[in-house]
Amino acid sequence: MNIKTAFSAGRLTIFLVGELDHHQAKFVINNVDELIDEYLPRECVLDLSELGFMDSSGIAVIIRMSRRMNNLGGRAWIENPSRQPQRVIDASGIDRLVPVSVR
């Protein structure tokens, strides 16, 4: 699992690369928290275009990011989920709480 970031005009984009399973979830949650603390963005985007696999623990990552941004008065959403993570998102119904955008 690799995490890449981009920050511009108050928007933090976090790119997850590789596979996100229960072994990686705590690492990713901690990194997302640290990035939000560092940048204090108005908007935080979780880009899943390079995430090949995500199990249900990925939902915890999404919820944590969304709650952190809500607490800061910001917005959060998911962009470009690849096929398999999109199936997990659809099955969980998390897209009713956190918007999903596909470019």
Side-chain angles (χ1 to χ4, degrees):
M1 165 62 57
N2 286 322
I3 299 174
K4 300 187 283 187
T5 61
F7 183 75
S8 178
R11 177 183 291 175
L12 173 63
T13 304
I14 301 170
F15 301 89
L16 299 184
V17 180
E19 296 186 355
L20 176 56
D21 60 18
H22 70 280
H23 296 292
Q24 296 292 325
K26 187 161 182 69
F27 165 79
V28 174
I29 287 171
N30 289 337
N31 275 281
V32 168
D33 281 348
E34 290 172 5
L35 290 165
I36 290 172
D37 289 343
E38 178 180 347
Y39 290 100
L40 296 174
R42 291 186 309 271
E43 299 176 329
C44 188
V45 180
L46 197 59
D47 188 297
L48 305 182
S49 60
E50 297 182 64
L51 191 65
F53 173 82
M54 179 177 88
D55 67 11
S56 60
S57 62
I59 301 305
V61 172
I62 294 166
I63 290 171
R64 176 65 177 225
M65 176 196 68
S66 176
R67 286 185 180 161
R68 288 292 314 279
M69 289 306 298
N70 284 339
N71 290 340
L72 291 173
R75 297 180 344 145
W77 68 91
I78 304 162
E79 280 190 351
N80 308 314
S82 58
R83 178 181 238 167
Q84 193 278 331
Q86 181 67 59
R87 286 195 300 262
V88 174
I89 290 166
D90 291 343
S92 72
I94 193 70
D95 54 333
R96 287 177 269 163
L97 299 174
V98 181
V100 177
S101 172
V102 179
R103 285 191 247 164

